[in-house]
Amino acid sequence: MTLDTNFAHDCVEMIHGGGGRAMRRLIDDLFLQAFDNPLLRAGDDQACFQVAPGRMVMTTDSHVISPLFFPGGDIGALAVHGTVNDVCMSGATPLYLSAAFILEEGFPLRDLRRIVLSMAAAAREAGVAIVTGDTKVVERGKGDGVFITTTGVGRLPDQVHCSAARVAAGDKILVNGFLGDHGVAILSQRENLTFEANLRSDSQSLLDLVATMVAVAPDLHCMRDPTRGGLAATLNEISQQANVGMRLHEKAIPVRQEVRAACEFLGLDPLYVANEGKLVAFCPPERADALLQAMRSHPKGRDAAIIGDVIEDERRLVRLRTGFGGERVVDWRSGDPLPRIC
Amino acid sequence: MTLDTNFAHDCVEMIHGGGGRAMRRLIDDLFLQAFDNPLLRAGDDQACFQVAPGRMVMTTDSHVISPLFFPGGDIGALAVHGTVNDVCMSGATPLYLSAAFILEEGFPLRDLRRIVLSMAAAAREAGVAIVTGDTKVVERGKGDGVFITTTGVGRLPDQVHCSAARVAAGDKILVNGFLGDHGVAILSQRENLTFEANLRSDSQSLLDLVATMVAVAPDLHCMRDPTRGGLAATLNEISQQANVGMRLHEKAIPVRQEVRAACEFLGLDPLYVANEGKLVAFCPPERADALLQAMRSHPKGRDAAIIGDVIEDERRLVRLRTGFGGERVVDWRSGDPLPRIC
């Protein structure tokens, strides 16, 4: 840190986005120090790296979560986990991230530093480098503290071909653990609810879990992280893309008792609530047991379960067999009950 | 277009960011139709493409310009040009872009469509595909219409090595045309000034011009687009990185008479005003004339000029020899006089 940027007391000002010396200092004192790596240090407007021949993937997400800090994480870690996971879901290994910040005038530099350090830690843990970035500032009342857009590129192994288009009737549907933790943790923080004080976001990188899964089941058909709109939106989207139906078993879907109780209190359905450290996977039925065992052997898949299977259905419906033996359609709602969840 | 999204009358609502059916429809009806390409059409959360061995570059920029529409462009075209140009400045050929949108509740879908169609046209013209994206919505008063973050990857030819670190004493400094057009056009629109009604932003892709330049001068040392902070910020940044000084000749720097007059009226210095279709290039002195001729032979470099040279200077100052024979230091100001210029 130089004397020029006072993280304890200063706030983001318009000149921090002005392209001049103040912006340069903020970049040098904060972003370069936190994300330090050779590609970033080169200091050009673009990062340059060597690639081997083969397939790469690219994915992007803007993060606008409110509040910025929540039990189990913050917007910084989330911005890394979200994009790392989107790269992973293809079966690829994430290599490099970019990070673009839209800051609101008046946002405390102390909070910005906390967020950036959290991003740096999350990136280190996932083994990805943040190699290029951008900083913009908007006037007070034209933003909301900080928005972070991360873009990731990754390397896809030759033998992996994950895509919604490959999901087929007969496939088993697996999840790696309890659903709804993220959304309920955010909502309880936002609404200042204390009744589930021990609920935390599941925000985490799924990179290592996916590596374990792909090693056991390189013929996995599809993986996707059920973020906005929860499991319900993700399954409906895939059923549309793959032109199939799905049948779920309510009893098999892992939901914590506290999340279930909170959802009942709030009038939410846990199947529609966002996750940030969960994945849903589709695999051929003969591979399902081995995949489940591999997932359960990993700390991030300890509570994994087979929750249903893919069926032929021209109407492409997702149905749920309820605990009481009935059946209902898990519809694709018009919107998430929880805005700005990621 | 389906009947579901009414672009003539509807506005962005929170549910357009909710991960459910409303978001899916907006994506299908607008983004997929406008940006249509096979990678995007695959419909997975990440785009997958084949790469040849060698070097790639990656760069990102958030765009928060105000107003969204201005003489000579709009935020959509700008978001493509800005990132395409950042890729080009390394000497690389842009391949793929991602686009992440942060929309404000209440923003007219009509305007969003206009912006997206403009992005699509700019991408087509530059020969890059927008292959993956994201849409978030924030509440009224927590954003400003639309912010767009684009990230680009490109392919770097083996023989090109452009970097600020390569700039050396003796290098000639070239620009491809008139400086300050973008900033003055934005400001006159913002302040509703009519005295330079025919001033337009220079927002454009520099891809084809750069290809011409690299063909003639593969030993180019560095290129950079003088956007925020203008030529002054860019030259000061490079002089710091390369540990050199620079000497400019005021008479040689191309500035339109109308821009000069507007700057005088507004109390601005054109050297500090942003550009979106200009580049500054550094090359060995023996190559400068050939490079200048090549630039002038191209429509986007018709008004190119050699504006100065790089000198040894431990203080790393950028000096300007004025039209009156004096000399002044072109300081690195603390901030841009024009916020939200890109």
Side-chain angles (χ1 to χ4, degrees), chain A residues 43-46 49 51 54 56 59 62 86 135 139 151 163 228 241 340, chain B residues 43-46 49 51 54 56 59 86 135-136 139 151 163 228 241 340:
Chain A
D44 287 306
D45 279 350
Q46 58 295 113
F49 47 84
V51 293
M56 288 186 77
T59 184
S62 287
D86 273 346
T135 311
E139 302 88 346
T151 306
S163 174
R228 276 184 288 179
Q241 293 177 316
R340 297 185 60 187
Chain B
D44 288 306
D45 280 351
Q46 59 295 114
F49 45 85
V51 293
M56 288 186 78
T59 184
D86 274 346
T135 311
K136 293 291 192 308
E139 301 88 345
T151 306
S163 174
R228 276 185 288 180
Q241 292 176 316
R340 297 187 59 190

PDB file of all heavy atoms in Angstrom, chain A residues 43-46 49 51 54 56 59 62 86 135 139 151 163 228 241 340, chain B residues 43-46 49 51 54 56 59 86 135-136 139 151 163 228 241 340:
ATOM      1  N   GLY A  43       1.044  -5.656 -17.436  1.00  0.00           N
ATOM      2  CA  GLY A  43       0.509  -4.295 -17.451  1.00  0.00           C
ATOM      3  C   GLY A  43      -0.007  -3.813 -18.794  1.00  0.00           C
ATOM      4  O   GLY A  43      -0.230  -2.627 -18.972  1.00  0.00           O
ATOM      5  N   ASP A  44      -0.205  -4.700 -19.731  1.00  0.00           N
ATOM      6  CA  ASP A  44      -0.822  -4.286 -20.987  1.00  0.00           C
ATOM      7  C   ASP A  44      -2.345  -4.347 -20.838  1.00  0.00           C
ATOM      8  O   ASP A  44      -2.864  -4.821 -19.831  1.00  0.00           O
ATOM      9  CB  ASP A  44      -0.323  -5.180 -22.130  1.00  0.00           C
ATOM     10  CG  ASP A  44       1.126  -4.849 -22.493  1.00  0.00           C
ATOM     11  OD1 ASP A  44       1.404  -3.670 -22.773  1.00  0.00           O
ATOM     12  OD2 ASP A  44       1.974  -5.763 -22.481  1.00  0.00           O
ATOM     13  N   ASP A  45      -3.040  -3.843 -21.859  1.00  0.00           N
ATOM     14  CA  ASP A  45      -4.500  -3.811 -21.759  1.00  0.00           C
ATOM     15  C   ASP A  45      -5.126  -5.176 -22.008  1.00  0.00           C
ATOM     16  O   ASP A  45      -6.343  -5.321 -21.964  1.00  0.00           O
ATOM     17  CB  ASP A  45      -5.078  -2.796 -22.757  1.00  0.00           C
ATOM     18  CG  ASP A  45      -4.985  -1.368 -22.214  1.00  0.00           C
ATOM     19  OD1 ASP A  45      -4.653  -1.202 -21.034  1.00  0.00           O
ATOM     20  OD2 ASP A  45      -5.249  -0.433 -22.985  1.00  0.00           O
ATOM     21  N   GLN A  46      -4.297  -6.164 -22.313  1.00  0.00           N
ATOM     22  CA  GLN A  46      -4.803  -7.514 -22.535  1.00  0.00           C
ATOM     23  C   GLN A  46      -3.770  -8.511 -22.014  1.00  0.00           C
ATOM     24  O   GLN A  46      -2.584  -8.212 -21.990  1.00  0.00           O
ATOM     25  CB  GLN A  46      -5.145  -7.794 -24.000  1.00  0.00           C
ATOM     26  CG  GLN A  46      -4.023  -7.638 -25.024  1.00  0.00           C
ATOM     27  CD  GLN A  46      -3.493  -6.234 -25.173  1.00  0.00           C
ATOM     28  OE1 GLN A  46      -2.346  -5.961 -24.819  1.00  0.00           O
ATOM     29  NE2 GLN A  46      -4.318  -5.321 -25.653  1.00  0.00           N
ATOM     30  N   PHE A  49      -1.376 -15.414 -23.283  1.00  0.00           N
ATOM     31  CA  PHE A  49      -0.973 -16.723 -22.763  1.00  0.00           C
ATOM     32  C   PHE A  49      -0.899 -17.751 -23.885  1.00  0.00           C
ATOM     33  O   PHE A  49      -1.505 -17.597 -24.941  1.00  0.00           O
ATOM     34  CB  PHE A  49      -1.931 -17.193 -21.655  1.00  0.00           C
ATOM     35  CG  PHE A  49      -3.396 -17.031 -21.999  1.00  0.00           C
ATOM     36  CD1 PHE A  49      -4.064 -17.989 -22.744  1.00  0.00           C
ATOM     37  CD2 PHE A  49      -4.105 -15.902 -21.581  1.00  0.00           C
ATOM     38  CE1 PHE A  49      -5.401 -17.837 -23.056  1.00  0.00           C
ATOM     39  CE2 PHE A  49      -5.456 -15.741 -21.891  1.00  0.00           C
ATOM     40  CZ  PHE A  49      -6.101 -16.714 -22.633  1.00  0.00           C
ATOM     41  N   VAL A  51      -1.543 -21.402 -25.563  1.00  0.00           N
ATOM     42  CA  VAL A  51      -2.540 -22.477 -25.490  1.00  0.00           C
ATOM     43  C   VAL A  51      -2.087 -23.683 -26.304  1.00  0.00           C
ATOM     44  O   VAL A  51      -1.383 -23.544 -27.308  1.00  0.00           O
ATOM     45  CB  VAL A  51      -3.941 -22.034 -25.994  1.00  0.00           C
ATOM     46  CG1 VAL A  51      -4.545 -21.002 -25.061  1.00  0.00           C
ATOM     47  CG2 VAL A  51      -3.881 -21.507 -27.421  1.00  0.00           C
ATOM     48  N   GLY A  54      -6.696 -27.860 -29.193  1.00  0.00           N
ATOM     49  CA  GLY A  54      -7.813 -28.585 -28.602  1.00  0.00           C
ATOM     50  C   GLY A  54      -8.998 -27.675 -28.393  1.00  0.00           C
ATOM     51  O   GLY A  54      -9.119 -26.645 -29.036  1.00  0.00           O
ATOM     52  N   MET A  56     -11.495 -25.193 -26.134  1.00  0.00           N
ATOM     53  CA  MET A  56     -11.584 -24.304 -24.982  1.00  0.00           C
ATOM     54  C   MET A  56     -13.041 -23.920 -24.774  1.00  0.00           C
ATOM     55  O   MET A  56     -13.855 -23.985 -25.703  1.00  0.00           O
ATOM     56  CB  MET A  56     -10.764 -23.036 -25.213  1.00  0.00           C
ATOM     57  CG  MET A  56      -9.273 -23.274 -25.148  1.00  0.00           C
ATOM     58  SD  MET A  56      -8.343 -21.734 -25.260  1.00  0.00           S
ATOM     59  CE  MET A  56      -8.550 -21.092 -23.597  1.00  0.00           C
ATOM     60  N   THR A  59     -17.076 -18.431 -20.694  1.00  0.00           N
ATOM     61  CA  THR A  59     -18.357 -18.156 -20.054  1.00  0.00           C
ATOM     62  C   THR A  59     -18.266 -16.858 -19.270  1.00  0.00           C
ATOM     63  O   THR A  59     -17.171 -16.470 -18.837  1.00  0.00           O
ATOM     64  CB  THR A  59     -18.777 -19.330 -19.151  1.00  0.00           C
ATOM     65  OG1 THR A  59     -20.068 -19.081 -18.602  1.00  0.00           O
ATOM     66  CG2 THR A  59     -17.800 -19.532 -18.010  1.00  0.00           C
ATOM     67  N   SER A  62     -22.339 -11.522 -14.811  1.00  0.00           N
ATOM     68  CA  SER A  62     -22.317 -10.323 -13.974  1.00  0.00           C
ATOM     69  C   SER A  62     -22.879 -10.692 -12.617  1.00  0.00           C
ATOM     70  O   SER A  62     -23.843 -11.460 -12.520  1.00  0.00           O
ATOM     71  CB  SER A  62     -23.177  -9.215 -14.589  1.00  0.00           C
ATOM     72  OG  SER A  62     -22.534  -8.660 -15.712  1.00  0.00           O
ATOM     73  N   ASP A  86     -19.241 -22.333 -13.828  1.00  0.00           N
ATOM     74  CA  ASP A  86     -19.791 -22.384 -15.186  1.00  0.00           C
ATOM     75  C   ASP A  86     -18.786 -22.985 -16.171  1.00  0.00           C
ATOM     76  O   ASP A  86     -19.166 -23.674 -17.110  1.00  0.00           O
ATOM     77  CB  ASP A  86     -20.215 -20.983 -15.656  1.00  0.00           C
ATOM     78  CG  ASP A  86     -21.637 -20.642 -15.227  1.00  0.00           C
ATOM     79  OD1 ASP A  86     -22.384 -21.553 -14.819  1.00  0.00           O
ATOM     80  OD2 ASP A  86     -22.003 -19.457 -15.300  1.00  0.00           O
ATOM     81  N   THR A 135     -11.960  -1.187 -14.400  1.00  0.00           N
ATOM     82  CA  THR A 135     -12.627  -0.490 -13.298  1.00  0.00           C
ATOM     83  C   THR A 135     -13.393   0.695 -13.849  1.00  0.00           C
ATOM     84  O   THR A 135     -12.808   1.560 -14.499  1.00  0.00           O
ATOM     85  CB  THR A 135     -11.588   0.053 -12.291  1.00  0.00           C
ATOM     86  OG1 THR A 135     -10.679  -0.985 -11.967  1.00  0.00           O
ATOM     87  CG2 THR A 135     -12.277   0.517 -11.020  1.00  0.00           C
ATOM     88  N   GLU A 139     -21.930   7.482 -10.831  1.00  0.00           N
ATOM     89  CA  GLU A 139     -22.333   8.425  -9.791  1.00  0.00           C
ATOM     90  C   GLU A 139     -23.208   7.744  -8.738  1.00  0.00           C
ATOM     91  O   GLU A 139     -23.897   6.778  -9.022  1.00  0.00           O
ATOM     92  CB  GLU A 139     -23.124   9.601 -10.387  1.00  0.00           C
ATOM     93  CG  GLU A 139     -22.394  10.390 -11.448  1.00  0.00           C
ATOM     94  CD  GLU A 139     -22.605   9.811 -12.841  1.00  0.00           C
ATOM     95  OE1 GLU A 139     -23.080   8.665 -12.973  1.00  0.00           O
ATOM     96  OE2 GLU A 139     -22.276  10.528 -13.816  1.00  0.00           O
ATOM     97  N   THR A 151     -15.332 -13.253 -16.381  1.00  0.00           N
ATOM     98  CA  THR A 151     -15.380 -14.108 -17.563  1.00  0.00           C
ATOM     99  C   THR A 151     -14.269 -15.132 -17.408  1.00  0.00           C
ATOM    100  O   THR A 151     -13.175 -14.790 -16.948  1.00  0.00           O
ATOM    101  CB  THR A 151     -15.174 -13.275 -18.840  1.00  0.00           C
ATOM    102  OG1 THR A 151     -16.132 -12.217 -18.852  1.00  0.00           O
ATOM    103  CG2 THR A 151     -15.333 -14.123 -20.101  1.00  0.00           C
ATOM    104  N   SER A 163     -23.145 -31.636 -22.654  1.00  0.00           N
ATOM    105  CA  SER A 163     -24.024 -30.644 -23.260  1.00  0.00           C
ATOM    106  C   SER A 163     -25.463 -31.047 -22.998  1.00  0.00           C
ATOM    107  O   SER A 163     -25.786 -32.246 -22.961  1.00  0.00           O
ATOM    108  CB  SER A 163     -23.767 -30.560 -24.767  1.00  0.00           C
ATOM    109  OG  SER A 163     -24.709 -29.691 -25.366  1.00  0.00           O
ATOM    110  N   ARG A 228     -29.716 -19.177 -10.287  1.00  0.00           N
ATOM    111  CA  ARG A 228     -30.999 -18.454 -10.336  1.00  0.00           C
ATOM    112  C   ARG A 228     -32.149 -19.365 -10.762  1.00  0.00           C
ATOM    113  O   ARG A 228     -32.051 -20.050 -11.766  1.00  0.00           O
ATOM    114  CB  ARG A 228     -30.919 -17.326 -11.368  1.00  0.00           C
ATOM    115  CG  ARG A 228     -30.313 -16.089 -10.865  1.00  0.00           C
ATOM    116  CD  ARG A 228     -30.397 -15.030 -11.948  1.00  0.00           C
ATOM    117  NE  ARG A 228     -29.478 -15.281 -13.057  1.00  0.00           N
ATOM    118  CZ  ARG A 228     -29.386 -14.511 -14.133  1.00  0.00           C
ATOM    119  NH1 ARG A 228     -30.177 -13.451 -14.251  1.00  0.00           N
ATOM    120  NH2 ARG A 228     -28.524 -14.766 -15.089  1.00  0.00           N
ATOM    121  N   GLN A 241     -34.213 -28.042 -23.891  1.00  0.00           N
ATOM    122  CA  GLN A 241     -33.102 -28.159 -24.842  1.00  0.00           C
ATOM    123  C   GLN A 241     -32.939 -29.584 -25.362  1.00  0.00           C
ATOM    124  O   GLN A 241     -32.584 -29.796 -26.514  1.00  0.00           O
ATOM    125  CB  GLN A 241     -31.803 -27.680 -24.179  1.00  0.00           C
ATOM    126  CG  GLN A 241     -31.818 -26.183 -23.894  1.00  0.00           C
ATOM    127  CD  GLN A 241     -30.568 -25.717 -23.168  1.00  0.00           C
ATOM    128  OE1 GLN A 241     -30.104 -26.353 -22.225  1.00  0.00           O
ATOM    129  NE2 GLN A 241     -30.021 -24.600 -23.600  1.00  0.00           N
ATOM    130  N   ARG A 340     -31.849 -10.567  -7.371  1.00  0.00           N
ATOM    131  CA  ARG A 340     -30.454 -10.220  -7.043  1.00  0.00           C
ATOM    132  C   ARG A 340     -29.821 -11.192  -6.061  1.00  0.00           C
ATOM    133  O   ARG A 340     -29.231 -10.816  -5.060  1.00  0.00           O
ATOM    134  CB  ARG A 340     -30.366  -8.776  -6.551  1.00  0.00           C
ATOM    135  CG  ARG A 340     -30.805  -7.813  -7.647  1.00  0.00           C
ATOM    136  CD  ARG A 340     -30.619  -6.387  -7.261  1.00  0.00           C
ATOM    137  NE  ARG A 340     -29.221  -6.116  -6.975  1.00  0.00           N
ATOM    138  CZ  ARG A 340     -28.797  -4.967  -6.473  1.00  0.00           C
ATOM    139  NH1 ARG A 340     -29.665  -4.015  -6.197  1.00  0.00           N
ATOM    140  NH2 ARG A 340     -27.522  -4.779  -6.245  1.00  0.00           N
TER     141      ARG A 340
ATOM    142  N   GLY B  43     -26.623 -23.365 -26.647  1.00  0.00           N
ATOM    143  CA  GLY B  43     -27.501 -23.152 -25.498  1.00  0.00           C
ATOM    144  C   GLY B  43     -26.964 -23.643 -24.166  1.00  0.00           C
ATOM    145  O   GLY B  43     -27.703 -23.734 -23.196  1.00  0.00           O
ATOM    146  N   ASP B  44     -25.691 -23.978 -24.099  1.00  0.00           N
ATOM    147  CA  ASP B  44     -25.117 -24.340 -22.807  1.00  0.00           C
ATOM    148  C   ASP B  44     -24.653 -23.070 -22.093  1.00  0.00           C
ATOM    149  O   ASP B  44     -24.664 -21.988 -22.672  1.00  0.00           O
ATOM    150  CB  ASP B  44     -23.962 -25.335 -23.009  1.00  0.00           C
ATOM    151  CG  ASP B  44     -24.488 -26.715 -23.413  1.00  0.00           C
ATOM    152  OD1 ASP B  44     -25.345 -27.247 -22.685  1.00  0.00           O
ATOM    153  OD2 ASP B  44     -24.056 -27.241 -24.459  1.00  0.00           O
ATOM    154  N   ASP B  45     -24.252 -23.223 -20.843  1.00  0.00           N
ATOM    155  CA  ASP B  45     -23.853 -22.044 -20.064  1.00  0.00           C
ATOM    156  C   ASP B  45     -22.458 -21.559 -20.435  1.00  0.00           C
ATOM    157  O   ASP B  45     -21.977 -20.566 -19.877  1.00  0.00           O
ATOM    158  CB  ASP B  45     -23.895 -22.355 -18.561  1.00  0.00           C
ATOM    159  CG  ASP B  45     -25.324 -22.276 -18.026  1.00  0.00           C
ATOM    160  OD1 ASP B  45     -26.210 -21.820 -18.770  1.00  0.00           O
ATOM    161  OD2 ASP B  45     -25.538 -22.662 -16.867  1.00  0.00           O
ATOM    162  N   GLN B  46     -21.813 -22.264 -21.340  1.00  0.00           N
ATOM    163  CA  GLN B  46     -20.484 -21.847 -21.775  1.00  0.00           C
ATOM    164  C   GLN B  46     -20.331 -22.180 -23.263  1.00  0.00           C
ATOM    165  O   GLN B  46     -20.954 -23.119 -23.743  1.00  0.00           O
ATOM    166  CB  GLN B  46     -19.365 -22.481 -20.939  1.00  0.00           C
ATOM    167  CG  GLN B  46     -19.275 -23.988 -20.901  1.00  0.00           C
ATOM    168  CD  GLN B  46     -20.445 -24.664 -20.249  1.00  0.00           C
ATOM    169  OE1 GLN B  46     -21.197 -25.366 -20.905  1.00  0.00           O
ATOM    170  NE2 GLN B  46     -20.641 -24.458 -18.960  1.00  0.00           N
ATOM    171  N   PHE B  49     -15.097 -23.961 -28.210  1.00  0.00           N
ATOM    172  CA  PHE B  49     -14.518 -23.780 -29.537  1.00  0.00           C
ATOM    173  C   PHE B  49     -13.125 -24.412 -29.598  1.00  0.00           C
ATOM    174  O   PHE B  49     -12.476 -24.616 -28.575  1.00  0.00           O
ATOM    175  CB  PHE B  49     -14.448 -22.295 -29.920  1.00  0.00           C
ATOM    176  CG  PHE B  49     -13.922 -21.400 -28.820  1.00  0.00           C
ATOM    177  CD1 PHE B  49     -12.557 -21.221 -28.651  1.00  0.00           C
ATOM    178  CD2 PHE B  49     -14.793 -20.748 -27.956  1.00  0.00           C
ATOM    179  CE1 PHE B  49     -12.067 -20.392 -27.653  1.00  0.00           C
ATOM    180  CE2 PHE B  49     -14.309 -19.926 -26.942  1.00  0.00           C
ATOM    181  CZ  PHE B  49     -12.938 -19.745 -26.784  1.00  0.00           C
ATOM    182  N   VAL B  51      -9.180 -24.517 -30.603  1.00  0.00           N
ATOM    183  CA  VAL B  51      -8.068 -23.573 -30.767  1.00  0.00           C
ATOM    184  C   VAL B  51      -6.847 -24.280 -31.321  1.00  0.00           C
ATOM    185  O   VAL B  51      -6.625 -25.465 -31.066  1.00  0.00           O
ATOM    186  CB  VAL B  51      -7.683 -22.868 -29.437  1.00  0.00           C
ATOM    187  CG1 VAL B  51      -8.796 -21.948 -28.972  1.00  0.00           C
ATOM    188  CG2 VAL B  51      -7.307 -23.865 -28.359  1.00  0.00           C
ATOM    189  N   GLY B  54      -0.539 -22.033 -29.806  1.00  0.00           N
ATOM    190  CA  GLY B  54       0.043 -20.704 -29.986  1.00  0.00           C
ATOM    191  C   GLY B  54      -0.373 -19.783 -28.862  1.00  0.00           C
ATOM    192  O   GLY B  54      -0.745 -20.226 -27.780  1.00  0.00           O
ATOM    193  N   MET B  56      -2.734 -16.741 -27.177  1.00  0.00           N
ATOM    194  CA  MET B  56      -4.030 -16.067 -27.195  1.00  0.00           C
ATOM    195  C   MET B  56      -3.972 -14.865 -26.271  1.00  0.00           C
ATOM    196  O   MET B  56      -3.143 -14.816 -25.359  1.00  0.00           O
ATOM    197  CB  MET B  56      -5.136 -17.009 -26.731  1.00  0.00           C
ATOM    198  CG  MET B  56      -5.469 -18.076 -27.748  1.00  0.00           C
ATOM    199  SD  MET B  56      -6.895 -19.064 -27.218  1.00  0.00           S
ATOM    200  CE  MET B  56      -8.238 -17.926 -27.619  1.00  0.00           C
ATOM    201  N   THR B  59      -9.131  -9.893 -22.866  1.00  0.00           N
ATOM    202  CA  THR B  59      -9.283  -8.540 -22.344  1.00  0.00           C
ATOM    203  C   THR B  59     -10.746  -8.284 -22.014  1.00  0.00           C
ATOM    204  O   THR B  59     -11.634  -8.912 -22.609  1.00  0.00           O
ATOM    205  CB  THR B  59      -8.750  -7.503 -23.355  1.00  0.00           C
ATOM    206  OG1 THR B  59      -8.816  -6.207 -22.777  1.00  0.00           O
ATOM    207  CG2 THR B  59      -9.545  -7.516 -24.645  1.00  0.00           C
ATOM    208  N   ASP B  86      -9.205  -3.442 -27.911  1.00  0.00           N
ATOM    209  CA  ASP B  86      -8.245  -3.862 -26.887  1.00  0.00           C
ATOM    210  C   ASP B  86      -7.554  -5.173 -27.276  1.00  0.00           C
ATOM    211  O   ASP B  86      -6.383  -5.378 -26.973  1.00  0.00           O
ATOM    212  CB  ASP B  86      -8.922  -4.007 -25.520  1.00  0.00           C
ATOM    213  CG  ASP B  86      -8.966  -2.678 -24.763  1.00  0.00           C
ATOM    214  OD1 ASP B  86      -8.255  -1.732 -25.159  1.00  0.00           O
ATOM    215  OD2 ASP B  86      -9.712  -2.590 -23.770  1.00  0.00           O
ATOM    216  N   THR B 135     -27.527 -12.032 -18.339  1.00  0.00           N
ATOM    217  CA  THR B 135     -28.452 -10.920 -18.139  1.00  0.00           C
ATOM    218  C   THR B 135     -28.828 -10.826 -16.671  1.00  0.00           C
ATOM    219  O   THR B 135     -29.316 -11.789 -16.099  1.00  0.00           O
ATOM    220  CB  THR B 135     -29.755 -11.156 -18.948  1.00  0.00           C
ATOM    221  OG1 THR B 135     -29.416 -11.499 -20.276  1.00  0.00           O
ATOM    222  CG2 THR B 135     -30.605  -9.907 -18.957  1.00  0.00           C
ATOM    223  N   LYS B 136     -28.570  -9.682 -16.082  1.00  0.00           N
ATOM    224  CA  LYS B 136     -29.011  -9.440 -14.705  1.00  0.00           C
ATOM    225  C   LYS B 136     -29.891  -8.191 -14.696  1.00  0.00           C
ATOM    226  O   LYS B 136     -29.733  -7.307 -15.546  1.00  0.00           O
ATOM    227  CB  LYS B 136     -27.804  -9.204 -13.774  1.00  0.00           C
ATOM    228  CG  LYS B 136     -26.922 -10.414 -13.573  1.00  0.00           C
ATOM    229  CD  LYS B 136     -27.593 -11.501 -12.776  1.00  0.00           C
ATOM    230  CE  LYS B 136     -26.646 -12.599 -12.315  1.00  0.00           C
ATOM    231  NZ  LYS B 136     -25.824 -13.218 -13.333  1.00  0.00           N
ATOM    232  N   GLU B 139     -32.928  -3.221  -9.374  1.00  0.00           N
ATOM    233  CA  GLU B 139     -34.098  -2.380  -9.133  1.00  0.00           C
ATOM    234  C   GLU B 139     -33.873  -0.960  -9.659  1.00  0.00           C
ATOM    235  O   GLU B 139     -32.744  -0.474  -9.726  1.00  0.00           O
ATOM    236  CB  GLU B 139     -34.407  -2.290  -7.634  1.00  0.00           C
ATOM    237  CG  GLU B 139     -34.674  -3.605  -6.942  1.00  0.00           C
ATOM    238  CD  GLU B 139     -33.393  -4.260  -6.439  1.00  0.00           C
ATOM    239  OE1 GLU B 139     -32.284  -3.855  -6.865  1.00  0.00           O
ATOM    240  OE2 GLU B 139     -33.505  -5.204  -5.629  1.00  0.00           O
ATOM    241  N   THR B 151     -16.054  -9.185 -22.949  1.00  0.00           N
ATOM    242  CA  THR B 151     -14.732  -9.777 -22.808  1.00  0.00           C
ATOM    243  C   THR B 151     -14.389 -10.408 -24.145  1.00  0.00           C
ATOM    244  O   THR B 151     -15.264 -10.998 -24.788  1.00  0.00           O
ATOM    245  CB  THR B 151     -14.737 -10.837 -21.693  1.00  0.00           C
ATOM    246  OG1 THR B 151     -15.235 -10.241 -20.501  1.00  0.00           O
ATOM    247  CG2 THR B 151     -13.331 -11.391 -21.444  1.00  0.00           C
ATOM    248  N   SER B 163       4.089  -4.774 -26.743  1.00  0.00           N
ATOM    249  CA  SER B 163       3.933  -4.603 -25.299  1.00  0.00           C
ATOM    250  C   SER B 163       4.570  -3.276 -24.913  1.00  0.00           C
ATOM    251  O   SER B 163       5.572  -2.855 -25.502  1.00  0.00           O
ATOM    252  CB  SER B 163       4.613  -5.752 -24.557  1.00  0.00           C
ATOM    253  OG  SER B 163       4.587  -5.501 -23.160  1.00  0.00           O
ATOM    254  N   ARG B 228     -10.175   6.450 -22.121  1.00  0.00           N
ATOM    255  CA  ARG B 228     -10.297   7.315 -20.925  1.00  0.00           C
ATOM    256  C   ARG B 228      -9.000   8.041 -20.624  1.00  0.00           C
ATOM    257  O   ARG B 228      -7.949   7.427 -20.559  1.00  0.00           O
ATOM    258  CB  ARG B 228     -10.603   6.458 -19.695  1.00  0.00           C
ATOM    259  CG  ARG B 228     -12.047   6.147 -19.535  1.00  0.00           C
ATOM    260  CD  ARG B 228     -12.249   5.423 -18.236  1.00  0.00           C
ATOM    261  NE  ARG B 228     -11.733   4.053 -18.271  1.00  0.00           N
ATOM    262  CZ  ARG B 228     -11.789   3.199 -17.255  1.00  0.00           C
ATOM    263  NH1 ARG B 228     -12.310   3.584 -16.114  1.00  0.00           N
ATOM    264  NH2 ARG B 228     -11.330   1.981 -17.387  1.00  0.00           N
ATOM    265  N   GLN B 241       5.612   2.513 -17.721  1.00  0.00           N
ATOM    266  CA  GLN B 241       5.859   1.080 -17.888  1.00  0.00           C
ATOM    267  C   GLN B 241       7.180   0.804 -18.594  1.00  0.00           C
ATOM    268  O   GLN B 241       7.872  -0.155 -18.275  1.00  0.00           O
ATOM    269  CB  GLN B 241       4.696   0.435 -18.664  1.00  0.00           C
ATOM    270  CG  GLN B 241       3.394   0.428 -17.863  1.00  0.00           C
ATOM    271  CD  GLN B 241       2.220  -0.120 -18.669  1.00  0.00           C
ATOM    272  OE1 GLN B 241       2.026   0.211 -19.833  1.00  0.00           O
ATOM    273  NE2 GLN B 241       1.432  -0.966 -18.032  1.00  0.00           N
ATOM    274  N   ARG B 340     -17.725   8.840 -17.125  1.00  0.00           N
ATOM    275  CA  ARG B 340     -18.630   7.930 -17.857  1.00  0.00           C
ATOM    276  C   ARG B 340     -18.619   8.189 -19.357  1.00  0.00           C
ATOM    277  O   ARG B 340     -19.655   8.326 -20.002  1.00  0.00           O
ATOM    278  CB  ARG B 340     -20.038   8.013 -17.274  1.00  0.00           C
ATOM    279  CG  ARG B 340     -20.037   7.548 -15.824  1.00  0.00           C
ATOM    280  CD  ARG B 340     -21.401   7.440 -15.248  1.00  0.00           C
ATOM    281  NE  ARG B 340     -22.224   6.501 -16.010  1.00  0.00           N
ATOM    282  CZ  ARG B 340     -23.526   6.379 -15.826  1.00  0.00           C
ATOM    283  NH1 ARG B 340     -24.142   7.129 -14.938  1.00  0.00           N
ATOM    284  NH2 ARG B 340     -24.210   5.505 -16.514  1.00  0.00           N
TER     285      ARG B 340
END
